[in-house]
């Protein structure tokens, strides 16, 4: 054979395995190639291939370098360095082998075999996709609408409703989290006295819609009274007759009952006289005004002179609420009178339509509570008389609430109310609590809006809605047992205090209330407080202005503006 391959001399070992130990082995080894490096071999090493003649060269991709493809093992892991630790696994974590077909084929296969079972899942999937598409469109709309890219207004720094003086002694602080666990059941109250006179409700206002809106009138000659507990002559008389132990008004009780929903600061003066307890409010207290957007996530402007600041809106809301409560009445002189006339009105003075119900609740075997409750109107249908409370929600700028009342009130009144419940949870809860305390048969809620968002003097009535207080309380998750539990716990706490004067203050920045012991002459006209800083003296605080004076001032400014326009 020409050019044959010589194997060489192979020694034979007749005595066993391996090469013989004779001298022939050395002679045979001398015929091997010289200078060949020694390469140790392990059983765990993978023996590769010199050439793979089975590899197909027809499926080479375009642009791929084709060189020595038969001898190219760069993609072969046979020659990868062996890592014993990396190859050691207790659990097979390899992913399950995926089928060679795409997801569309798998879906079609399952769809054919499980069509009845997957039909509901497909419907739900389509709903989810539609919801995602709707949310995407809403986001695009909000981004593209005018003013959407404007910087978010900074939240106003809430201030305490009363200046805490250094000589005051803090006795206790109660977090709102403890109020949620309280519960107390009170029996039905008894009416001790009814005072005042009520006008009948004009039922034509129930048919008011945004298309036939009514202009809000101004009632300058009618007087509204916000008299505190100890200044009430009827309560003083009942206290002298020892009719009860605790005395308050419905505005003060509702502030206590709905305290966990409050955000702004407020305060209540507590006087312990002998074995009696009086809950009072200060002159010009925050309780005389109505908060607006208190529980909203959208912050209001901080500047007091801004018409949309918290202070300006509270004055506007009190003005709107008072005028609305008198406009929706039949003012023909026909009134329902009670046992005694209005205890705060002078003879010949025109007063607002209001009736005061002095009612007594039993808190304990030897403890009773008397409260002055108010109703604003009366309605008579089929010779059945019903007491009404009248309150007004006011819209100042739809960009803050995100709901335009003129567009939504006719078709989506529930959405408008839900937005108000979110933005004014505390105010609506207090109105409901006052209606429950007075045992009003119905509560009327008016929806009043500005004529123009930048005009805070002229308003229109867009709609009036009627609710039963108990049904509305359950709708807004207002628990009467919890409300009375809060009152009972605070009364029990105050009855353990010594005789003197105290003040209960809602912390402006934390969900809690604090009790301070104050001097006996605190909040009186001759009480001398430490001077305020110069930057705070320029603007008088809210507490120094009577709510009635604020309303009169607003009316005067309005008249001047109207005269100027004329």
């Amino acid at each position: 054979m020409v050019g044959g391959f010589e194997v060489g001399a192979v020694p034979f070992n007749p005595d066993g395995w391996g090469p013989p130990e004779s001298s022939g082995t050395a002679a045979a080894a001398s015929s091997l190639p010289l200078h060949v490096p020694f390469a140790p071999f392990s059983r765990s090493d993978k023996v590769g291939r010199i050439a793979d003649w089975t590899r197909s060269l027809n499926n080479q991709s375009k642009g791929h370098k084709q060189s020595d493809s038969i001898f190219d093992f760069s993609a072969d892991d046979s020659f990868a360095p062996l890592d014993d630790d990396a190859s050691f696994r207790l659990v097979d974590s390899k992913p399950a082998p995926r089928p060679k077909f795409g997801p569309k084929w798998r879906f079609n296969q399952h769809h054919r075999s499980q069509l009845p079972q997957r039909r509901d899942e497909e419907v739900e999937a389509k709903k989810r996709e539609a919801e995602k598409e709707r949310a995407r469109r809403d986001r695009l709309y909000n981004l593209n609408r005018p003013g959407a890219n404007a910087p978010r207004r900074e939240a106003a720094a809430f201030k305490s409703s009363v200046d805490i003086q250094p000589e005051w002694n803090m006795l206790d602080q109660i977090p709102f989290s403890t109020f949620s666990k309280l519960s107390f059941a009170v029996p039905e109250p008894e009416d001790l006295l009814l005072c005042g006179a009520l006008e009948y409700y004009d039922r034509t206002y129930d048919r008011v819609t945004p298309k036939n809106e009514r202009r809000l009138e101004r009632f300058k000659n009618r007087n509204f009274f916000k008299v505190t507990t100890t200044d009430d002559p009827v309560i003083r008389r009942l206290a002298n007759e020892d009719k009860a132990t605790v005395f308050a008004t419905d505005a003060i009780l509702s502030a206590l009952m709905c305290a966990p929903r409050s955000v702004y600061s407020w305060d209540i003066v507590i006087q312990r006289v002998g074995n009696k307890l009086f809950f009072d409010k200060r002159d010009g207290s925050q309780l005389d005004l109505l908060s607006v957007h208190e529980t909203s996530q959208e912050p209001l402007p901080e500047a007091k002179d801004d018409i949309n600041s918290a202070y300006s809106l509270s004055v506007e809301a009190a003005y709107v609420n008072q005028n609305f409560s008198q406009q929706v009445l039949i003012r023909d002189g026909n009134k329902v009178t009670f046992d005694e006339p209005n205890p705060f009105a002078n003879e010949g003075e025109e007063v607002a339509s209001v009736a005061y119900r002095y009612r007594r609740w039993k808190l304990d075997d030897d403890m009773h509570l008397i409260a002055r409750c108010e109703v604003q109107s009366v309605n008579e249908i089929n010779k059945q008389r019903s007491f009404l409370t009248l309150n007004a929600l006011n819209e100042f700028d739809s960009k803050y609430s995100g709901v335009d009342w003129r567009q939504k009130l006719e078709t989506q009144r529930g959405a408008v109310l839900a937005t108000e419940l979110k933005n004014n949870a505390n105010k609506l809860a207090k109105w409901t609590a006052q209606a429950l305390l007075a045992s009003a048969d119905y509560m009327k809620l008016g929806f009043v809006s500005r004529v123009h968002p930048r005009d805070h003097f002229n308003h229109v009535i867009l709609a009036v809605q009627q609710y039963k207080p108990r049904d509305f309380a359950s709708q807004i998750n207002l628990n009467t047992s919890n409300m009375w539990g809060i009152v009972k716990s605070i009364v029990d706490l105050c009855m353990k205090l010594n005789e003197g004067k105290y003040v209960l203050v809602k912390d402006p920045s934390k969900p809690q209330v604090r009790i301070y012991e104050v001097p006996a002459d605190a909040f009186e006209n001759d009480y001398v407080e430490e001077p305020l800083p110069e930057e705070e003296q320029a603007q008088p605080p809210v507490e120094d202005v009577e709510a009635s004076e604020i309303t009169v001032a607003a009316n005067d400014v309005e008249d001047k503006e109207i005269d100027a326009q004329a």
Side-chain angles (χ1 to χ4, degrees):
M1 182 177 181
V2 181
F5 180 74
E6 293 186 3
V7 178
V10 179
F12 177 71
N13 186 6
D15 299 329
W17 294 95
E21 297 180 357
S22 62
S23 59
T25 307
S30 62
S31 63
L32 295 176
L34 299 176
H35 309 295
V36 176
F38 173 73
F41 175 73
S42 173
R43 296 186 197 177
S44 61
D45 290 341
K46 294 183 180 180
V47 180
R49 298 182 293 273
I50 297 176
D52 188 2
W53 302 97
T54 63
R55 183 176 301 179
S56 175
L57 302 178
N58 297 328
N59 295 331
Q60 295 292 337
S61 61
K62 294 182 180 179
H64 186 272
K65 186 176 181 181
Q66 247 184 41
S67 62
D68 299 334
S69 298
I70 297 175
F71 302 96
D72 184 13
F73 294 97
S74 59
D76 197 345
D77 59 353
S78 301
F79 296 95
L82 183 65
D83 189 355
D84 293 341
D85 294 337
S87 62
F88 180 73
R89 293 286 185 273
L90 287 176
V91 179
D92 184 12
S93 59
K94 293 181 180 179
R98 300 181 63 181
K100 298 180 181 179
F101 305 96
K104 186 175 181 182
W105 182 87
R106 291 201 308 272
F107 173 77
N108 291 336
Q109 291 296 315
H110 289 285
H111 183 70
R112 294 191 190 97
S113 60
Q114 301 179 1
L115 182 61
Q117 292 81 1
R118 290 189 60 101
R119 185 172 299 160
D120 295 339
E121 298 178 12
E122 292 173 24
V123 172
E124 292 297 326
K126 289 181 180 179
K127 287 183 179 179
R128 286 194 296 269
E129 290 298 326
E131 190 65 30
K132 289 180 182 178
E133 180 66 20
R134 192 180 301 113
R136 188 185 67 83
R137 287 199 304 267
D138 291 344
R139 282 197 304 270
L140 291 176
Y141 170 76
N142 291 329
L143 287 175
N144 295 329
R145 68 189 177 94
N149 297 324
R152 179 182 172 89
R153 295 177 186 264
E154 293 296 329
F158 299 137
K159 297 180 181 179
S160 178
S161 61
V162 61
D163 294 326
I164 308 299
Q165 300 302 313
E167 65 269 19
W168 293 4
N169 180 27
M170 189 181 76
L171 302 179
D172 198 2
Q173 54 184 8
I174 310 168
F176 286 164
S177 57
T178 60
F179 286 163
S180 60
K181 306 172 186 176
L182 301 175
S183 180
F184 182 72
V186 294
E188 287 296 319
E190 56 176 320
D191 284 331
L192 301 180
L193 190 66
L194 272 78
C195 304
L198 291 176
E199 293 178 332
Y200 288 94
Y201 174 73
D202 188 355
R203 282 182 285 176
T204 59
Y205 280 89
D206 290 337
R207 297 189 292 273
V208 172
T209 62
K211 293 181 179 178
N212 61 339
E213 59 191 26
R214 300 277 190 97
R215 192 67 175 253
L216 185 68
E217 301 175 13
R218 301 184 305 276
F219 295 86
K220 299 180 183 178
N221 300 325
R222 293 199 170 192
N223 294 323
F224 301 85
F225 303 99
K226 302 291 183 182
V227 182
T228 187
T229 308
T230 50
D231 292 342
D232 190 330
V234 177
I235 287 184
R236 288 193 175 193
R237 188 176 73 202
L238 295 174
N240 292 332
E241 296 174 0
D242 205 15
K243 294 287 187 180
T245 311
V246 186
F247 299 88
T249 65
D250 59 347
I252 295 173
L253 283 182
S254 63
L256 288 176
M257 291 175 168
C258 306
R261 300 179 184 231
S262 61
V263 176
Y264 297 156
S265 179
W266 47 268
D267 60 275
I268 295 173
V269 180
I270 303 170
Q271 298 190 63
R272 176 78 191 275
V273 182
N275 66 333
K276 292 182 172 58
L277 204 62
F278 294 89
F279 289 91
D280 278 310
K281 66 176 181 63
R282 297 177 297 104
D283 291 338
S285 169
Q286 289 279 8
L287 301 180
D288 291 335
L289 301 176
L290 297 176
S291 63
V292 179
H293 262 228
E294 180 178 359
T295 55
S296 172
Q297 297 297 323
E298 185 73 19
L300 297 174
E302 187 175 357
K304 254 191 172 184
D305 55 353
D306 194 313
I307 64 171
N308 290 335
S309 67
Y311 172 78
S312 301
L313 288 175
S314 63
V315 175
E316 179 185 355
Y319 159 79
V320 167
N321 196 70
Q322 289 181 353
N323 287 325
F324 171 81
S325 67
Q326 303 306 303
Q327 181 173 345
V328 296
L329 305 176
I330 302 176
R331 299 181 297 278
D332 58 356
N334 187 17
K335 297 183 179 180
V336 177
T337 57
F338 298 101
D339 305 336
E340 296 184 10
N342 193 313
F344 315 119
N346 298 322
E347 190 171 350
E349 184 180 18
E350 185 179 1
V351 297
S353 170
V354 63
Y356 301 106
R357 304 182 74 175
Y358 293 87
R359 320 189 78 199
R360 180 168 63 181
W361 287 266
K362 182 179 180 181
L363 299 181
D364 208 341
D365 292 336
D366 54 351
M367 185 187 301
H368 290 77
L369 181 145
I370 288 181
R372 185 190 72 222
C373 307
E374 298 182 14
V375 291
Q376 286 79 35
S377 179
V378 65
N379 199 2
E380 190 167 343
I381 301 176
N382 298 330
K383 297 183 179 180
Q384 289 187 352
R385 185 175 295 174
S386 304
F387 289 116
L388 310 177
T389 60
L390 306 174
N391 299 105
L393 295 165
N394 60 307
E395 180 191 35
F396 57 99
D397 197 338
S398 60
K399 75 176 182 180
Y400 284 94
S401 62
V403 178
D404 189 349
W405 286 9
R406 285 175 170 81
Q407 296 180 0
K408 301 292 185 180
L409 269 176
E410 281 191 299
T411 58
Q412 299 180 12
R413 187 168 296 186
V416 174
L417 182 62
T419 305
E420 289 301 304
L421 287 173
K422 180 184 70 174
N423 297 334
N424 298 287
N426 186 36
K427 179 170 68 175
L428 283 164
K430 288 198 292 186
W431 286 346
T432 309
Q434 292 176 18
L436 291 172
L437 289 171
S439 291
D441 298 290
Y442 299 99
M443 50 188 295
K444 297 279 187 178
L445 283 183
F447 295 87
V448 181
S449 179
R450 292 176 180 175
V451 174
H452 187 273
R454 300 303 300 173
D455 180 9
H456 63 295
F457 292 114
N458 299 305
H459 301 80
V460 290
I461 303 174
L462 301 179
V464 179
Q465 189 71 16
Q466 175 177 286
Y467 301 95
K468 290 186 177 181
R470 290 195 179 277
D471 296 343
F472 194 73
S474 61
Q475 183 178 346
I476 65 175
N477 198 22
L478 192 65
N479 190 347
T480 54
S481 299
N482 177 249
M483 295 191 309
W484 280 108
I486 296 173
V487 173
K488 182 68 164 58
S489 64
I490 293 178
V491 167
D492 292 341
L493 180 63
C494 296
M495 291 301 288
K496 297 176 183 177
L497 303 174
N498 300 325
E499 286 193 45
K501 183 179 285 189
Y502 306 88
V503 61
L504 183 75
V505 183
K506 157 70 172 66
D507 192 291
S509 57
K510 297 179 181 178
Q512 64 181 14
V513 290
R514 293 193 176 105
I515 298 180
Y516 293 91
E517 184 179 7
V518 299
D521 60 346
F523 315 120
E524 302 293 340
N525 294 332
D526 55 351
Y527 178 59
V528 179
E529 296 182 351
E530 291 188 357
L532 295 173
E534 293 183 0
E535 60 269 12
E536 296 184 14
Q537 290 180 1
Q539 182 70 36
V542 181
E543 295 81 22
D544 296 341
V545 187
E546 286 282 357
S548 57
E549 295 176 0
I550 293 173
T551 306
V552 173
N555 292 338
D556 294 340
V557 173
E558 179 183 5
D559 294 339
K560 292 178 182 178
E561 211 171 84
I562 293 174
D563 295 339
Q565 292 175 358

